[in-house]
Amino acid sequence: MRKLRRNEQLDSEQLDRMQARYLHKTLQTAIARLPFYSHISPAFSVDEARDVLHTLFPIITKETLLANPATLYPHGGARRPWEAAGKTSGTTGTPLVIYRSIESLLLENAFVKRHWTWAGYEDGMPRATLRGDMVVGLERKEPPFWFWNRYNQQLLLSSRHLTSAHVGAIIDRLESLSPPIMQAYPSTAFTLATYLARSKRQLRIPHVFTASEPLYPHQRELILERLGLRIMDMYGMAERVAFATQCEHGEMHINPDYSYVEIVDEQGRRTDDYGYVVGTTFHNQAMPLVRYRLSDRTRWKPGRCACGRSFPMIESVTGKYEDSITGSNAAVVSPSVLTFAFKGVEHIRRSQVAQVGPARWEVRLVPFPEFSAADQNKLVDNIHTLVDPHVDVKVVLATELPDTAAGKFRWVVNETAQHTAAAESPH
């Protein structure tokens, strides 16, 4: 943390030199450990690292990783016991596993914590967390719907109990704690703000830190009206190839000591216009990802921020549109909570979760040939265990799942007549 805080004081030239050193180490590791890059000569200096990256390393995607597990994963795809397996389904519906070093896990926490310090957070202050954690069982009907982590002064709240029957107790607990910061998904913070508005109540948490989902304007407006005094958003992903944090002046900053970020057009050329986020990891030497392209789009924002940091700025990140669906109790289910059900389920190439009626979901899968009845049962069981025990789930296997007319893929869609009518309403 002390080192990361010192990096905030560096000027652009000093940050560039730091990036070159980190990038050189990552590229050397990739050449040595990943057969995909073994044809590239490691005989280049720190000063040559950027040129080597742009000329010799191709842009890769999630599909590239899935198609080349023996050459883009270390040790032929076999995880070492001391490495952590980061599992994600993401919002593209394709499960993926990334091997992580212990050092990278510790650094990830440090980068998040540095972001909190931008709001004045210090060790010992209480904080609340309202994300996708399985805090208490879904069957619990009486408080507490939370867990007090006394070692970190953290109140872990169950987002699955954000229902009309239980939300009052959650609001009361937050009111009694009065935390200076809260971590939340945009959708869970918005749901809580919606219940606050319905009950004509208000919480004034100084800083709400959002992450993991797009933060839509209507969500931001209601969260600020009913829940938090300021929202500080964060952009990251399981692959950990980019990390951007919103400062106290509202600007989104790429953290240049976290990874090397490019923005490229459809042809993979670097652009100052809107383009795809491409990132190269700095700190996960167990499995370096080099020029990994995400589906998210943004563009560089020129100028210098009033916060004084030399971290480059970007516009708001736009990803794949995610619709909203509701569970058996008519409460909105966070798309990020839904991803928990897909973690660890193998042999799925693409997926989509559609609401086709009240408490009725259709899970559409494009399977790999190895997909089995056991995989299907595990997915359904995960939904009932981790998301909603009473929703009716039907699994439909398909050969393809289409993109929208705009070329985007919607992982979560609501196809009920009520949702269509609500979306068309001016209110």
Side-chain angles (χ1 to χ4, degrees), residues 289-346:
L289 291 177
V290 180
R291 304 197 80 193
Y292 183 88
R293 198 193 81 173
L294 302 158
S295 61
D296 304 313
R297 293 170 62 86
T298 187
R299 69 177 175 185
W300 298 110
K301 188 172 183 179
R304 186 174 177 87
C305 182
C307 73
R309 301 177 184 90
S310 296
F311 294 2
M313 297 181 291
I314 57 172
E315 302 282 358
S316 296
V317 177
T318 59
K320 299 181 186 302
Y321 176 76
E322 294 172 10
D323 215 336
S324 60
I325 63 174
T326 57
S328 58
N329 52 13
V332 174
V333 177
S334 164
S336 289
V337 170
L338 272 176
T339 66
F340 279 69
F342 286 78
K343 292 181 180 181
V345 181
E346 299 180 329

Side-chain angles (χ1 to χ4, degrees), residues 143-178:
F145 307 115
W146 50 81
F147 173 78
W148 177 247
N149 169 14
R150 62 189 177 93
Y151 295 100
N152 296 106
Q153 299 294 295
Q154 177 193 28
L155 181 67
L156 276 160
L157 298 155
S158 172
S159 60
R160 293 161 178 81
H161 288 82
L162 285 179
T163 64
S164 55
H166 308 310
V167 72
I170 292 174
I171 294 171
D172 290 343
R173 183 67 182 92
L174 279 169
E175 198 169 51
S176 67
L177 179 66
S178 190

Side-chain angles (χ1 to χ4, degrees), residues 388-408:
D388 190 316
H390 304 300
V391 71
D392 179 26
V393 179
K394 179 182 179 182
V395 176
V396 176
L397 302 183
T399 56
E400 195 52 74
L401 293 172
D403 291 333
T404 66
K408 296 182 178 181

